[in-house]
C-alpha cells in the first residue's frame, strides 16, 4: 500500500496523459453544434469512473446535456461523499488570441508554473479539477484506502447556468443522498498559501433591448430629432451606478449581509498585494464601491457589470446611421442573503421605469443562482482543513470567492448537506480566457490532497457517532 504522494509520483505521467485526452474533446455546452462532443465527453468520464473503481457509472439523459453519475458503495453504514464537477467548458473565443489551439493541449512552463502547465480550454475549469477526483478515487481503490462511500455527479451544463441539474436532483434525491458534497471548481490563493473557498457569489444575468424608431435611419436627416437607442442605453446603464459606485436599483441592497468589523479584519489577513494586482492587469488604479477594499469588492459585495453591448454599425469604415435597436447583456453578482429572482425582478422594474418615452425596452432574465457560504465551524470544514494541513504542512485560509457556481445553494436546499470547495486553480490560470491552463503541480497536489479529505472526514464522522 502506497501513500498518496508516492502513488502520484509514480503515476503522474499517465495522469497527465489521460487528462490531455479528455481535454481534446470540445465539450462546449453553449453551442449546439457540439452536442455530439458533449456526449463523447460524458462517455469518456463514465469510462474513467469505472476504470478508477466505481461499481456503477451511468449517463443520465436530461432535457439538456447528460449528467454522469457514478458510485462505489463499500458499506451503507459508512459516510458518503458526493463529488460534483462539470465536464462542459466555455466557448474558446476569441480564437486568434490563443497561442495554441484550445483543444490541442500543450504543456508549457510559466513563471508561476515552472513544473509546466497544461494549456487547453477546460484545463482548470473544470476538466482538470474534476479529473483530480477520478484519480484520487483510483488511488484509494488501488491501495485499499477508500474509507467511505463515494458518489460522483458530473454535469454538462454548468457554464450555461445548470439549467437542468435541478431537474435531475429532484428526480434522484435518494440516489444522491450524501453526508457532504465535495467540489474542486474554484481556486486557491497561491501554491504556498493553501485556501478553502468559503463563499461563492450568486448571479442574475439579464439581457436588455432598447428600441427607438421602427427602422435604421439616416443619422443626418433624423439625428438630433429622434432618440438614438444606443445613446439612451448608455445613459440608462451609466445611471445604474452612482458617483460612489453604489448600485442605484431601489431595494438592491436590502438583503445584503453586512459583515462586522471583526469579520472584515479577519478577511483582510489573507495575503493580497494591491500593487502586484494592478501590475498584472496593467491598470493604474482599481475601481469599485466606496468604503470597501479590493478583496471585499471582489467577494462579499454585489456588483453590476455589462458583459456585452451592441447595436448599429460595427463593420469596417464608417456608416452614418441612427440605429433602430441597441442591446446589452448585464450581470449582477450577488451575495447572501440576496435572492436572485427578486433582484432580477427589481432590475426589470427599474430598467423599465428609467426608460424615456422616446424608446421601448424589453428586459429578459437569462439565468441566475443564489450565493453560498460554507460555515467553518463544522466537521466538514475541519476535515478539509486537516487534509490541507497534512498535504501542505500548514492550515488553509478560508476565503470568499467572487465567482459563482449557482447550483451549490440548491444542493444544500435539496440534499441537506454542506458543500466543501477544495479548489486548486490559481487566479492567473486564465479560466474563460484565451490560453487557459492548469499547473501540473496544482493538478498533482490536488490528487494528493483529496484522499486525505476522505480519511479525515470519515475519522471525524465515525468519532461523532
Ligand atoms: N468554476 C467557475 C466558478 C469559479 C471559478 C468560482 C473560480 C470561484 C473561482 C464556474 O465554472 C463558472 O465559471 N461559473 C460562472 C457562472 C455560470 C452560471 C456561467 C461564473 O462565475 O461566471
Ligand atoms: Mn467551473
Ligand atoms: Mn466556468
Amino acid at each position: 500500500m502506497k501513500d498518496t504522494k508516492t502513488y502520484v509520483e509514480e503515476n503522474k505521467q499517465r495522469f497527465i496523459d489521460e487528462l490531455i485526452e479528455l481535454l481534446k474533446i470540445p465539450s462546449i455546452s453553449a453551442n449546439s453544434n457540439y452536442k455530439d462532443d458533449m456526449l463523447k465527453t460524458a462517455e469518456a468520464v463514465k469510462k474513467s469512473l469505472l476504470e478508477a473503481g466505481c461499481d456503477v457509472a451511468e449517463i443520465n439523459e436530461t432535457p439538456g446535456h447528460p449528467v454522469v453519475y457514478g458510485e462505489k458503495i463499500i458499506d451503507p453504514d459508512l459516510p458518503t461523499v458526493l463529488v460534483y464537477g462539470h465536464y462542459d467548458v466555455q466557448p474558446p473565443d476569441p480564437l486568434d488570441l490563443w497561442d495554441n489551439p484550445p483543444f490541442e493541449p500543450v504543456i508549457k512552463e510559466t513563471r508561476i508554473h515552472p513544473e509546466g502547465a497544461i494549456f487547453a480550454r477546460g484545463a482548470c475549469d473544470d476538466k482538470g479539477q474534476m479529473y483530480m477526483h477520478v484519480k484520487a478515487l483510483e488511488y484509494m481503490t488501488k491501495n485499499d484506502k477508500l474509507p467511505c462511500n463515494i458518489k460522483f455527479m458530473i454535469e454538462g451544463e454548468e457554464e450555461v447556468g445548470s439549467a437542468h441539474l435541478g431537474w435531475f436532483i429532484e428526480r434522484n434525491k435518494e440516489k444522491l443522498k450524501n453526508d457532504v458534497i465535495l467540489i474542486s471548481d474554484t481556486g486557491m490563493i497561491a501554491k504556498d498559501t493553501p485556501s478553502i473557498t468559503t463563499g461563492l457569489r450568486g448571479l442574475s444575468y439579464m439581457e436588455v433591448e432598447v428600441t427607438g424608431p421602427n427602422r435604421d435611419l439616416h443619422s443626418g436627416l433624423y439625428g438630433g430629432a429622434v432618440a438614438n437607442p444606443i445613446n439612451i442605453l448608455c445613459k440608462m446603464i451609466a445611471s445604474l451606478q452612482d458617483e460612489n459606485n453604489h448600485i442605484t436599483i431601489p431595494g438592491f441592497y436590502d438583503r445584503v449581509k453586512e459583515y462586522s468589523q471583526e469579520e472584515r479584519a479577519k478577511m483582510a489577513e489573507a495575503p493580497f498585494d494591491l500593487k502586484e494586482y494592478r501590475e498584472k492587469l496593467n491598470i493604474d488604479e482599481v475601481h469599485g464601491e466606496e468604503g470597501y477594499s479590493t478583496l471585499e469588492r471582489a467577494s462579499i459585495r454585489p456588483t453590476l457589470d455589462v458583459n456585452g453591448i451592441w447595436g448599429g454599425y460595427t463593420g469596417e469604415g464608417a456608416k452614418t446611421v441612427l440605429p433602430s435597436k441597441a442591446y446589452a447583456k448585464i450581470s449582477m453578482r450577488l451575495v447572501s442573503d440576496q435572492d436572485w429572482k427578486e433582484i432580477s425582478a427589481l432590475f426589470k422594474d427599474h430598467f423599465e421605469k428609467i426608460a424615456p418615452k422616446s424608446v421601448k425596452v424589453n428586459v429578459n432574465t437569462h439565468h441566475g443562482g443564489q450565493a453560498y457560504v460554507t460555515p467553518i465551524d463544522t466537521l466538514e470544514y475541519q476535515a478539509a482543513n486537516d487534509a490541507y494541513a497534512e498535504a501542505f504542512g500548514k492550515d488553509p485560509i478560508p476565503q470568499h470567492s467572487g465567482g459563482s457556481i449557482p447550483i451549490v445553494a440548491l444542493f444544500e436546499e435539496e440534499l441537506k448537506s454542506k458543500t466543501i470547495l477544495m479548489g486548486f486553480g490559481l487566479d492567473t490560470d486564465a479560466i474563460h480566457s484565451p490560453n487557459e491552463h492548469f499547473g501540473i503541480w496544482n493538478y498533482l497536489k490536488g490528487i494528493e490532497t483529496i484522499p486525505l479529505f476522505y480519511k479525515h472526514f470519515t475519522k471525524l464522522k465515525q468519532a461523532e457517532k
Side-chain angles (χ1 to χ4, degrees):
M1 278 198 314
K2 292 180 172 141
D3 65 13
T4 59
K5 223 185 161 87
T6 315
Y7 189 79
V8 169
E9 190 53 39
E10 287 177 5
N11 291 280
K12 64 179 181 195
Q13 193 53 51
R14 180 173 54 82
F15 290 172
I16 294 165
D17 294 343
E18 288 176 13
L19 174 56
I20 284 178
E21 285 310 304
L22 195 62
L23 290 168
K24 285 182 185 168
I25 321 173
S27 47
I28 307 167
S29 50
N31 187 334
S32 55
N33 293 337
Y34 293 88
K35 207 169 172 343
D36 290 350
D37 288 303
M38 292 300 293
L39 192 59
K40 215 171 129 187
T41 312
E43 299 276 4
V45 172
K46 174 188 159 182
K47 186 165 165 266
S48 73
L49 285 173
L50 288 171
E51 283 168 4
C54 277
D55 302 324
V56 177
E58 58 197 29
I59 291 177
N60 290 270
E61 293 302 329
T62 73
H65 297 300
V67 177
V68 184
Y69 173 82
E71 65 176 35
K72 185 171 181 71
I73 307 295
I74 54 173
D75 179 351
D77 290 333
L78 283 169
T80 301
V81 177
L82 172 66
V83 176
Y84 163 83
H86 61 95
Y87 66 84
D88 64 322
V89 303
Q90 285 276 324
D93 318 72
L95 280 175
D96 52 323
L97 294 184
W98 284 78
D99 296 332
N100 296 88
F103 298 104
E104 293 171 28
V106 290
I107 296 177
K108 285 190 297 190
E109 285 170 23
T110 72
R111 191 178 60 76
I112 296 176
H113 298 295
E115 305 85 0
I118 306 176
F119 282 76
R121 171 57 86 230
C124 176
D125 184 11
D126 180 43
K127 282 175 176 166
Q129 296 213 68
M130 175 271 289
Y131 206 67
M132 297 183 312
H133 288 267
V134 181
K135 293 299 99 179
L137 171 65
E138 176 194 306
Y139 161 74
M140 292 188 287
T141 51
K142 293 255 158 77
N143 294 280
D144 205 10
K145 289 269 167 95
L146 182 65
C148 63
N149 304 310
I150 181 166
K151 296 177 176 175
F152 284 83
M153 173 171 64
I154 312 297
E155 73 153 318
E157 297 190 306
E158 197 280 337
E159 298 292 9
V160 287
S162 299
H164 302 99
L165 199 63
W167 180 96
F168 177 75
I169 293 171
E170 223 173 84
R171 283 163 182 74
N172 292 282
K173 274 196 188 165
E174 197 49 39
K175 179 149 110 179
L176 296 170
K177 243 180 121 186
N178 66 80
D179 296 283
V180 64
I181 297 166
L182 187 58
I183 304 178
S184 294
D185 192 22
T186 54
M188 59 193 277
I189 295 176
K191 285 161 78 177
D192 58 359
T193 315
S195 60
I196 297 177
T197 303
T198 49
L200 289 168
R201 285 198 281 197
L203 185 68
S204 159
Y205 202 114
M206 314 295 292
E207 183 159 333
V208 299
E209 178 194 72
V210 178
T211 307
N214 60 0
R215 61 182 169 88
D216 284 7
L217 303 174
H218 188 291
S219 65
L221 297 182
Y222 290 94
V226 174
N228 179 325
I230 302 181
N231 294 20
I232 301 279
L233 175 59
C234 290
K235 267 197 187 167
M236 289 171 75
I237 289 171
S239 80
L240 296 176
Q241 271 143 342
D242 69 13
E243 66 282 6
N244 293 320
N245 297 314
H246 265 74
I247 294 155
T248 56
I249 300 168
F252 185 84
Y253 290 99
D254 283 1
R255 293 184 206 278
V256 170
K257 177 178 153 71
E258 297 289 341
Y259 289 83
S260 67
Q261 279 312 326
E262 199 188 340
E263 286 169 301
R264 291 176 66 185
K266 186 101 194 82
M267 288 178 203
E269 284 172 16
F272 177 73
D273 184 337
L274 187 60
K275 183 163 171 283
E276 192 184 312
Y277 183 84
R278 282 195 271 104
E279 282 170 3
K280 272 190 193 153
L281 299 173
N282 196 18
I283 51 174
D284 293 333
E285 204 38 86
V286 291
H287 173 100
E289 190 184 358
E290 202 60 33
Y292 295 91
S293 70
T294 295
L295 267 187
E296 289 172 336
R297 288 168 179 171
S299 61
I300 58 163
R301 297 300 296 169
T303 66
L304 184 149
D305 277 295
V306 180
N307 297 256
I309 182 163
W310 69 103
Y313 184 69
T314 55
E316 194 183 336
K319 176 190 177 190
T320 50
V321 60
L322 193 162
S324 164
K325 282 177 187 291
Y327 307 83
K329 291 185 193 280
I330 299 172
S331 70
M332 291 163 282
R333 295 281 167 173
L334 310 177
V335 298
S336 54
D337 301 310
Q338 286 176 299
D339 177 76
W340 79 271
K341 289 196 170 141
E342 182 183 358
I343 293 293
S344 302
L346 288 177
F347 177 95
K348 184 173 161 68
D349 261 17
H350 181 66
F351 209 76
E352 287 169 355
K353 219 166 264 162
I354 62 174
K357 290 224 161 54
S358 51
V359 298
K360 295 178 194 69
V361 301
N362 200 345
V363 182
N364 282 306
T365 307
H366 272 286
H367 56 66
Q370 313 293 37
Y372 183 76
V373 174
T374 304
I376 61 174
D377 55 353
T378 63
L379 182 155
E380 292 85 343
Y381 186 85
Q382 187 62 46
N385 183 88
D386 294 352
Y388 279 87
E390 191 173 336
F392 287 80
K394 54 172 122 168
D395 279 344
I397 297 174
Q399 195 177 45
H400 284 253
S401 168
S404 309
I405 310 177
I407 207 71
V408 171
L410 192 84
F411 290 160
E412 176 152 343
E413 219 176 284
E414 297 279 331
L415 302 172
K416 313 276 177 242
S417 45
K418 293 278 166 238
T419 294
I420 295 292
L421 298 155
M422 293 176 77
F424 289 89
L426 298 179
D427 281 352
T428 46
D429 287 346
I431 62 172
H432 293 208
S433 295
N435 303 316
E436 174 179 354
H437 55 280
F438 190 30
I440 286 173
W441 184 90
N442 299 68
Y443 177 52
L444 300 176
K445 198 71 184 172
I447 302 172
E448 181 192 327
T449 309
I450 291 164
L452 300 171
F453 173 79
Y454 286 79
K455 180 176 99 177
H456 290 289
F457 179 68
T458 309
K459 195 169 75 191
L460 290 173
K461 202 78 188 161
Q462 294 300 89
E464 197 188 47
K465 274 194 178 171

